Amino acid sequence: MPVDKKISFSIWYVVLAMIAIVLVHDFIVATQKLEELPYSEFRTLVVSDKVAEVTVTNQRVTGKLKSEGVSKDQKLFTTVRVEDPDLVKELNAHNVTFSGVIESTFLRDLLSWVLPALVFVGIWFFAMKRFGQGQSGFMTVGQSKAKIYAEKDTKVTFADVAGVDEAKEELREVIDFLKTPERFTRLGGKIPKGILLVGPPGTGKTLLARAVAGEAGVTFFSISGSEFVEMFVGVGAARVRDLFEQAKVKAPCIIFIDELDAIGKARGMGPMAHEEREQTLNQLLVEMDGFDPRIGVILMAATNRPEILDPALLRAGRFDRQVLVDRADKIGRLAILRVHAKQVVLGPDADLEVIAAMTPGFSGADLANIINEATLLAVRRNKEQVGHSELQEAVERVVGGLEKKNRVLNKMEKERVAHHEVGHALVALSVPGADPIQKISIIPRGIAALGYTLQLPTEDRFLMTKTELENKIAVLLGGRNAEELIFGEASTGAQNDLVRATDIAKSMVKSYGMSEKLGTITLDRERQPLMMQIQAPQEKGDYSEETAREIDCEVRRIVDEQYGRVKQLLTERKAALLEGAKRLLVDEVISGADLKAIMDKY
Ligand code: ADP
Ligand code: ZN
């Protein structure tokens, strides 16, 4: 909740109340059917004994006429008060009861002056707020609190987070501290100040931080690192100051900074040293050093790229505790699926264990998405429950992005894609130990893939041998190879395959010491914090130009070797390739088993 909301709200209530008062006042006056008379006529009525009583105020004379004939109605009238010294005498003479009232002008003054002023203040306030939100920081430098979110009760508990038991265990201490800070401080225990949650996107880092706040029952302040980096220099730093000020007032509480890398990038990195980011980072460091965790404020942050963070952030007394939030294993995935399946009605045939088994590498967010997609499918099919077929299809959707049936390929393109995909699949079926092929499809999906070969591992893997990596490269090269074999030339469709194949080869040479020529050394200084992530080595390590050339040669040798192997393999299976592609063009989707049957025929 943006913090300023309360104030502007109450001002609007006052304005509304004023308007209501005016309306009600007018309404009462109107219902009394007051007749406005000229003063002269009023005098005539007095003289002709028609007036029953009058009330004289500062500016008006109001009164009742005597009832006429049978009607009991006494007509009400009003007239302007005129300076008339004889009036009292006349009223006495004609037996009119009269009284004077000194009218309070307070209400009128209030309505005629204060109300318009309030309305203007209200409009101004509203406009300022709008302006401040739209053009971030232009008019709100130094007090831009709009994007700091404070949640009193996150309503998230550890029961909502599954599959990350080790991280939960480590965070339990933080919860204990937030619950009873006195106990910790009395014993002089060391209190964590900053905790960095490290892990791939969607593994539940934000969720965990909110769960810690929920379990401890403290306020949760959150802001995203990318929101700190504003156009105007100085705004980010001011925002950091604000954040800490607000949090200190609300202690005990948690401050959570998502995407810490957006502000925490090592200083001086990148093509242009970003002055704004540097100021923001410096302010963050100052605030972190300046607060005493004993007041009950814990800083948490999340990143999926800890290696690019400024080392100053990770120093003792800052984010000195790192908690790994990794993708879950099979048991963890099952637990996550169960957490999310609680919100939907599962059919009796729905087997979450099977789904957990076929989704290694999926993050918590991906799994939540599977349950969601499956539910949408069930709704679309007018089913009462989410069945296994919906879950199965949801997995494919999440793997490949949404089906894009409206993208039309011409016939030539389709043929190419079919042969390309069957090429991948045939290699995967032929090399020992490759992940089994689930299905091959030429229905375009997602943004990039024109077709795809769905290859899912059967188990979680934490180690890979050199042969397995070589086989992976071979499978990736299968697509391009098939195109060349059938059409005589390559197309642009294989670019992504080649990038991935080259990356694996590079990692083999540089990180895993798998090249005989360069020996068992790692030339990559990059930390690889996340298991089994084969990443493109980004920075040049600490080696000579000569070594760099050797690396290039070795990478090329590895890829070429696999290319030769794949070529031989596919040439031998050309008949199967042609028939498989033909089947694929007709059916658009074939299973791995179908292709295996075709291959075994020849
Ligand atoms: P991150 O911050 O790591 O990118 P989030 O915490 O934003 O990931 O996760 C996004 C969503 O995915 C969560 O709101 C939740 O629905 C689901 N999710 C992710 N990880 C888990 C998990 N371990 N257990 C249950 N749900 C999860
Ligand atoms: Zn391909």
PDB file of all heavy atoms in Angstrom, residues 554-578:
ATOM      1  N   GLU A 554      40.143 -25.762 -30.186  1.00  0.00           N
ATOM      2  CA  GLU A 554      39.593 -26.928 -29.512  1.00  0.00           C
ATOM      3  C   GLU A 554      38.072 -26.962 -29.610  1.00  0.00           C
ATOM      4  O   GLU A 554      37.486 -28.018 -29.842  1.00  0.00           O
ATOM      5  CB  GLU A 554      40.023 -26.933 -28.028  1.00  0.00           C
ATOM      6  CG  GLU A 554      41.373 -27.573 -27.792  1.00  0.00           C
ATOM      7  CD  GLU A 554      41.389 -29.029 -28.234  1.00  0.00           C
ATOM      8  OE1 GLU A 554      40.950 -29.890 -27.455  1.00  0.00           O
ATOM      9  OE2 GLU A 554      41.831 -29.293 -29.375  1.00  0.00           O
ATOM     10  N   VAL A 555      37.460 -25.793 -29.420  1.00  0.00           N
ATOM     11  CA  VAL A 555      36.001 -25.730 -29.527  1.00  0.00           C
ATOM     12  C   VAL A 555      35.575 -26.173 -30.918  1.00  0.00           C
ATOM     13  O   VAL A 555      34.664 -26.991 -31.083  1.00  0.00           O
ATOM     14  CB  VAL A 555      35.489 -24.302 -29.228  1.00  0.00           C
ATOM     15  CG1 VAL A 555      34.023 -24.172 -29.582  1.00  0.00           C
ATOM     16  CG2 VAL A 555      35.709 -23.965 -27.767  1.00  0.00           C
ATOM     17  N   ARG A 556      36.301 -25.644 -31.908  1.00  0.00           N
ATOM     18  CA  ARG A 556      35.957 -25.996 -33.284  1.00  0.00           C
ATOM     19  C   ARG A 556      36.144 -27.496 -33.518  1.00  0.00           C
ATOM     20  O   ARG A 556      35.303 -28.131 -34.131  1.00  0.00           O
ATOM     21  CB  ARG A 556      36.828 -25.192 -34.252  1.00  0.00           C
ATOM     22  CG  ARG A 556      36.483 -25.445 -35.700  1.00  0.00           C
ATOM     23  CD  ARG A 556      36.909 -24.303 -36.580  1.00  0.00           C
ATOM     24  NE  ARG A 556      36.398 -23.034 -36.107  1.00  0.00           N
ATOM     25  CZ  ARG A 556      37.088 -21.891 -36.161  1.00  0.00           C
ATOM     26  NH1 ARG A 556      38.309 -21.883 -36.635  1.00  0.00           N
ATOM     27  NH2 ARG A 556      36.558 -20.774 -35.735  1.00  0.00           N
ATOM     28  N   ARG A 557      37.239 -28.024 -32.963  1.00  0.00           N
ATOM     29  CA  ARG A 557      37.506 -29.447 -33.165  1.00  0.00           C
ATOM     30  C   ARG A 557      36.357 -30.294 -32.586  1.00  0.00           C
ATOM     31  O   ARG A 557      35.857 -31.206 -33.240  1.00  0.00           O
ATOM     32  CB  ARG A 557      38.819 -29.850 -32.497  1.00  0.00           C
ATOM     33  CG  ARG A 557      39.202 -31.311 -32.743  1.00  0.00           C
ATOM     34  CD  ARG A 557      40.381 -31.739 -31.899  1.00  0.00           C
ATOM     35  NE  ARG A 557      40.152 -31.589 -30.454  1.00  0.00           N
ATOM     36  CZ  ARG A 557      39.444 -32.426 -29.708  1.00  0.00           C
ATOM     37  NH1 ARG A 557      38.879 -33.479 -30.259  1.00  0.00           N
ATOM     38  NH2 ARG A 557      39.278 -32.217 -28.414  1.00  0.00           N
ATOM     39  N   ILE A 558      35.941 -29.944 -31.382  1.00  0.00           N
ATOM     40  CA  ILE A 558      34.879 -30.726 -30.745  1.00  0.00           C
ATOM     41  C   ILE A 558      33.594 -30.678 -31.567  1.00  0.00           C
ATOM     42  O   ILE A 558      32.981 -31.710 -31.857  1.00  0.00           O
ATOM     43  CB  ILE A 558      34.605 -30.208 -29.308  1.00  0.00           C
ATOM     44  CG1 ILE A 558      35.799 -30.519 -28.409  1.00  0.00           C
ATOM     45  CG2 ILE A 558      33.344 -30.835 -28.734  1.00  0.00           C
ATOM     46  CD1 ILE A 558      35.694 -29.940 -27.015  1.00  0.00           C
ATOM     47  N   VAL A 559      33.223 -29.479 -31.988  1.00  0.00           N
ATOM     48  CA  VAL A 559      31.977 -29.346 -32.754  1.00  0.00           C
ATOM     49  C   VAL A 559      32.109 -30.067 -34.095  1.00  0.00           C
ATOM     50  O   VAL A 559      31.203 -30.799 -34.508  1.00  0.00           O
ATOM     51  CB  VAL A 559      31.607 -27.862 -32.952  1.00  0.00           C
ATOM     52  CG1 VAL A 559      30.386 -27.725 -33.849  1.00  0.00           C
ATOM     53  CG2 VAL A 559      31.346 -27.199 -31.610  1.00  0.00           C
ATOM     54  N   ASP A 560      33.254 -29.887 -34.762  1.00  0.00           N
ATOM     55  CA  ASP A 560      33.451 -30.538 -36.063  1.00  0.00           C
ATOM     56  C   ASP A 560      33.391 -32.050 -35.946  1.00  0.00           C
ATOM     57  O   ASP A 560      32.785 -32.740 -36.773  1.00  0.00           O
ATOM     58  CB  ASP A 560      34.811 -30.135 -36.663  1.00  0.00           C
ATOM     59  CG  ASP A 560      34.750 -28.736 -37.281  1.00  0.00           C
ATOM     60  OD1 ASP A 560      33.621 -28.211 -37.386  1.00  0.00           O
ATOM     61  OD2 ASP A 560      35.803 -28.177 -37.625  1.00  0.00           O
ATOM     62  N   GLU A 561      34.017 -32.565 -34.892  1.00  0.00           N
ATOM     63  CA  GLU A 561      34.031 -34.004 -34.681  1.00  0.00           C
ATOM     64  C   GLU A 561      32.606 -34.534 -34.581  1.00  0.00           C
ATOM     65  O   GLU A 561      32.250 -35.526 -35.212  1.00  0.00           O
ATOM     66  CB  GLU A 561      34.762 -34.298 -33.365  1.00  0.00           C
ATOM     67  CG  GLU A 561      35.841 -35.356 -33.480  1.00  0.00           C
ATOM     68  CD  GLU A 561      36.616 -35.446 -32.179  1.00  0.00           C
ATOM     69  OE1 GLU A 561      36.045 -35.930 -31.186  1.00  0.00           O
ATOM     70  OE2 GLU A 561      37.765 -34.981 -32.171  1.00  0.00           O
ATOM     71  N   GLN A 562      31.794 -33.828 -33.796  1.00  0.00           N
ATOM     72  CA  GLN A 562      30.410 -34.251 -33.631  1.00  0.00           C
ATOM     73  C   GLN A 562      29.640 -34.093 -34.934  1.00  0.00           C
ATOM     74  O   GLN A 562      28.788 -34.913 -35.257  1.00  0.00           O
ATOM     75  CB  GLN A 562      29.727 -33.468 -32.503  1.00  0.00           C
ATOM     76  CG  GLN A 562      30.253 -33.784 -31.119  1.00  0.00           C
ATOM     77  CD  GLN A 562      30.323 -35.274 -30.859  1.00  0.00           C
ATOM     78  OE1 GLN A 562      29.374 -36.011 -31.122  1.00  0.00           O
ATOM     79  NE2 GLN A 562      31.455 -35.735 -30.361  1.00  0.00           N
ATOM     80  N   TYR A 563      29.970 -33.041 -35.664  1.00  0.00           N
ATOM     81  CA  TYR A 563      29.266 -32.824 -36.924  1.00  0.00           C
ATOM     82  C   TYR A 563      29.514 -33.998 -37.869  1.00  0.00           C
ATOM     83  O   TYR A 563      28.591 -34.516 -38.505  1.00  0.00           O
ATOM     84  CB  TYR A 563      29.721 -31.511 -37.565  1.00  0.00           C
ATOM     85  CG  TYR A 563      28.729 -30.988 -38.569  1.00  0.00           C
ATOM     86  CD1 TYR A 563      27.633 -30.255 -38.148  1.00  0.00           C
ATOM     87  CD2 TYR A 563      28.857 -31.270 -39.927  1.00  0.00           C
ATOM     88  CE1 TYR A 563      26.698 -29.791 -39.042  1.00  0.00           C
ATOM     89  CE2 TYR A 563      27.926 -30.815 -40.842  1.00  0.00           C
ATOM     90  CZ  TYR A 563      26.851 -30.074 -40.391  1.00  0.00           C
ATOM     91  OH  TYR A 563      25.916 -29.637 -41.283  1.00  0.00           O
ATOM     92  N   GLY A 564      30.775 -34.433 -37.931  1.00  0.00           N
ATOM     93  CA  GLY A 564      31.124 -35.570 -38.777  1.00  0.00           C
ATOM     94  C   GLY A 564      30.376 -36.827 -38.353  1.00  0.00           C
ATOM     95  O   GLY A 564      29.828 -37.569 -39.180  1.00  0.00           O
ATOM     96  N   ARG A 565      30.323 -37.005 -37.052  1.00  0.00           N
ATOM     97  CA  ARG A 565      29.666 -38.192 -36.518  1.00  0.00           C
ATOM     98  C   ARG A 565      28.174 -38.196 -36.868  1.00  0.00           C
ATOM     99  O   ARG A 565      27.612 -39.213 -37.301  1.00  0.00           O
ATOM    100  CB  ARG A 565      29.846 -38.182 -34.999  1.00  0.00           C
ATOM    101  CG  ARG A 565      29.213 -39.322 -34.265  1.00  0.00           C
ATOM    102  CD  ARG A 565      29.588 -39.244 -32.796  1.00  0.00           C
ATOM    103  NE  ARG A 565      28.716 -40.016 -31.963  1.00  0.00           N
ATOM    104  CZ  ARG A 565      28.302 -39.639 -30.762  1.00  0.00           C
ATOM    105  NH1 ARG A 565      28.699 -38.480 -30.262  1.00  0.00           N
ATOM    106  NH2 ARG A 565      27.496 -40.405 -30.066  1.00  0.00           N
ATOM    107  N   VAL A 566      27.553 -37.015 -36.697  1.00  0.00           N
ATOM    108  CA  VAL A 566      26.118 -36.900 -36.977  1.00  0.00           C
ATOM    109  C   VAL A 566      25.853 -37.131 -38.463  1.00  0.00           C
ATOM    110  O   VAL A 566      24.884 -37.784 -38.853  1.00  0.00           O
ATOM    111  CB  VAL A 566      25.602 -35.513 -36.536  1.00  0.00           C
ATOM    112  CG1 VAL A 566      24.195 -35.276 -37.035  1.00  0.00           C
ATOM    113  CG2 VAL A 566      25.658 -35.387 -35.033  1.00  0.00           C
ATOM    114  N   LYS A 567      26.763 -36.610 -39.302  1.00  0.00           N
ATOM    115  CA  LYS A 567      26.580 -36.728 -40.744  1.00  0.00           C
ATOM    116  C   LYS A 567      26.539 -38.201 -41.134  1.00  0.00           C
ATOM    117  O   LYS A 567      25.644 -38.636 -41.870  1.00  0.00           O
ATOM    118  CB  LYS A 567      27.743 -36.032 -41.448  1.00  0.00           C
ATOM    119  CG  LYS A 567      27.491 -35.781 -42.911  1.00  0.00           C
ATOM    120  CD  LYS A 567      28.506 -34.802 -43.445  1.00  0.00           C
ATOM    121  CE  LYS A 567      28.304 -34.611 -44.941  1.00  0.00           C
ATOM    122  NZ  LYS A 567      29.304 -33.694 -45.476  1.00  0.00           N
ATOM    123  N   GLN A 568      27.478 -38.946 -40.598  1.00  0.00           N
ATOM    124  CA  GLN A 568      27.544 -40.371 -40.908  1.00  0.00           C
ATOM    125  C   GLN A 568      26.268 -41.062 -40.432  1.00  0.00           C
ATOM    126  O   GLN A 568      25.639 -41.838 -41.150  1.00  0.00           O
ATOM    127  CB  GLN A 568      28.765 -40.970 -40.226  1.00  0.00           C
ATOM    128  CG  GLN A 568      29.116 -42.348 -40.760  1.00  0.00           C
ATOM    129  CD  GLN A 568      30.040 -43.079 -39.805  1.00  0.00           C
ATOM    130  OE1 GLN A 568      30.663 -42.450 -38.948  1.00  0.00           O
ATOM    131  NE2 GLN A 568      30.131 -44.383 -39.948  1.00  0.00           N
ATOM    132  N   LEU A 569      25.892 -40.703 -39.195  1.00  0.00           N
ATOM    133  CA  LEU A 569      24.742 -41.327 -38.572  1.00  0.00           C
ATOM    134  C   LEU A 569      23.459 -41.080 -39.372  1.00  0.00           C
ATOM    135  O   LEU A 569      22.655 -41.990 -39.603  1.00  0.00           O
ATOM    136  CB  LEU A 569      24.623 -40.693 -37.175  1.00  0.00           C
ATOM    137  CG  LEU A 569      24.033 -41.458 -36.029  1.00  0.00           C
ATOM    138  CD1 LEU A 569      24.730 -41.003 -34.754  1.00  0.00           C
ATOM    139  CD2 LEU A 569      22.561 -41.154 -35.944  1.00  0.00           C
ATOM    140  N   LEU A 570      23.288 -39.843 -39.822  1.00  0.00           N
ATOM    141  CA  LEU A 570      22.056 -39.511 -40.540  1.00  0.00           C
ATOM    142  C   LEU A 570      22.077 -40.048 -41.966  1.00  0.00           C
ATOM    143  O   LEU A 570      21.024 -40.417 -42.508  1.00  0.00           O
ATOM    144  CB  LEU A 570      21.823 -38.000 -40.540  1.00  0.00           C
ATOM    145  CG  LEU A 570      21.322 -37.407 -39.230  1.00  0.00           C
ATOM    146  CD1 LEU A 570      21.118 -35.910 -39.366  1.00  0.00           C
ATOM    147  CD2 LEU A 570      20.013 -38.063 -38.787  1.00  0.00           C
ATOM    148  N   THR A 571      23.258 -40.092 -42.577  1.00  0.00           N
ATOM    149  CA  THR A 571      23.340 -40.646 -43.923  1.00  0.00           C
ATOM    150  C   THR A 571      22.904 -42.105 -43.912  1.00  0.00           C
ATOM    151  O   THR A 571      22.159 -42.553 -44.789  1.00  0.00           O
ATOM    152  CB  THR A 571      24.782 -40.522 -44.468  1.00  0.00           C
ATOM    153  OG1 THR A 571      25.245 -39.205 -44.203  1.00  0.00           O
ATOM    154  CG2 THR A 571      24.838 -40.784 -45.958  1.00  0.00           C
ATOM    155  N   GLU A 572      23.342 -42.808 -42.866  1.00  0.00           N
ATOM    156  CA  GLU A 572      22.921 -44.207 -42.742  1.00  0.00           C
ATOM    157  C   GLU A 572      21.418 -44.326 -42.551  1.00  0.00           C
ATOM    158  O   GLU A 572      20.819 -45.330 -42.910  1.00  0.00           O
ATOM    159  CB  GLU A 572      23.614 -44.853 -41.523  1.00  0.00           C
ATOM    160  CG  GLU A 572      25.063 -45.210 -41.752  1.00  0.00           C
ATOM    161  CD  GLU A 572      25.771 -45.518 -40.439  1.00  0.00           C
ATOM    162  OE1 GLU A 572      25.082 -45.657 -39.403  1.00  0.00           O
ATOM    163  OE2 GLU A 572      27.010 -45.606 -40.449  1.00  0.00           O
ATOM    164  N   ARG A 573      20.818 -43.315 -41.945  1.00  0.00           N
ATOM    165  CA  ARG A 573      19.386 -43.398 -41.626  1.00  0.00           C
ATOM    166  C   ARG A 573      18.545 -42.500 -42.522  1.00  0.00           C
ATOM    167  O   ARG A 573      17.462 -42.080 -42.131  1.00  0.00           O
ATOM    168  CB  ARG A 573      19.165 -43.010 -40.156  1.00  0.00           C
ATOM    169  CG  ARG A 573      19.708 -44.019 -39.175  1.00  0.00           C
ATOM    170  CD  ARG A 573      19.770 -43.452 -37.780  1.00  0.00           C
ATOM    171  NE  ARG A 573      20.245 -44.410 -36.786  1.00  0.00           N
ATOM    172  CZ  ARG A 573      21.516 -44.808 -36.683  1.00  0.00           C
ATOM    173  NH1 ARG A 573      22.435 -44.345 -37.525  1.00  0.00           N
ATOM    174  NH2 ARG A 573      21.874 -45.695 -35.768  1.00  0.00           N
ATOM    175  N   LYS A 574      19.060 -42.245 -43.731  1.00  0.00           N
ATOM    176  CA  LYS A 574      18.370 -41.292 -44.600  1.00  0.00           C
ATOM    177  C   LYS A 574      16.945 -41.747 -44.901  1.00  0.00           C
ATOM    178  O   LYS A 574      16.006 -40.931 -44.910  1.00  0.00           O
ATOM    179  CB  LYS A 574      19.151 -41.127 -45.901  1.00  0.00           C
ATOM    180  CG  LYS A 574      18.689 -39.939 -46.704  1.00  0.00           C
ATOM    181  CD  LYS A 574      19.617 -39.634 -47.859  1.00  0.00           C
ATOM    182  CE  LYS A 574      18.969 -38.583 -48.761  1.00  0.00           C
ATOM    183  NZ  LYS A 574      19.763 -38.346 -49.970  1.00  0.00           N
ATOM    184  N   ALA A 575      16.767 -43.029 -45.117  1.00  0.00           N
ATOM    185  CA  ALA A 575      15.427 -43.534 -45.434  1.00  0.00           C
ATOM    186  C   ALA A 575      14.462 -43.246 -44.288  1.00  0.00           C
ATOM    187  O   ALA A 575      13.335 -42.782 -44.501  1.00  0.00           O
ATOM    188  CB  ALA A 575      15.490 -45.032 -45.700  1.00  0.00           C
ATOM    189  N   ALA A 576      14.937 -43.498 -43.058  1.00  0.00           N
ATOM    190  CA  ALA A 576      14.096 -43.242 -41.886  1.00  0.00           C
ATOM    191  C   ALA A 576      13.806 -41.743 -41.761  1.00  0.00           C
ATOM    192  O   ALA A 576      12.700 -41.336 -41.404  1.00  0.00           O
ATOM    193  CB  ALA A 576      14.779 -43.760 -40.627  1.00  0.00           C
ATOM    194  N   LEU A 577      14.803 -40.938 -42.096  1.00  0.00           N
ATOM    195  CA  LEU A 577      14.638 -39.484 -42.022  1.00  0.00           C
ATOM    196  C   LEU A 577      13.538 -39.026 -42.970  1.00  0.00           C
ATOM    197  O   LEU A 577      12.660 -38.245 -42.606  1.00  0.00           O
ATOM    198  CB  LEU A 577      15.975 -38.812 -42.366  1.00  0.00           C
ATOM    199  CG  LEU A 577      16.006 -37.290 -42.465  1.00  0.00           C
ATOM    200  CD1 LEU A 577      15.616 -36.644 -41.151  1.00  0.00           C
ATOM    201  CD2 LEU A 577      17.391 -36.810 -42.870  1.00  0.00           C
ATOM    202  N   LEU A 578      13.586 -39.566 -44.203  1.00  0.00           N
ATOM    203  CA  LEU A 578      12.589 -39.161 -45.192  1.00  0.00           C
ATOM    204  C   LEU A 578      11.190 -39.600 -44.776  1.00  0.00           C
ATOM    205  O   LEU A 578      10.238 -38.822 -44.842  1.00  0.00           O
ATOM    206  CB  LEU A 578      12.943 -39.756 -46.564  1.00  0.00           C
ATOM    207  CG  LEU A 578      14.157 -39.088 -47.242  1.00  0.00           C
ATOM    208  CD1 LEU A 578      14.620 -39.881 -48.439  1.00  0.00           C
ATOM    209  CD2 LEU A 578      13.820 -37.649 -47.640  1.00  0.00           C
TER     210      LEU A 578
END
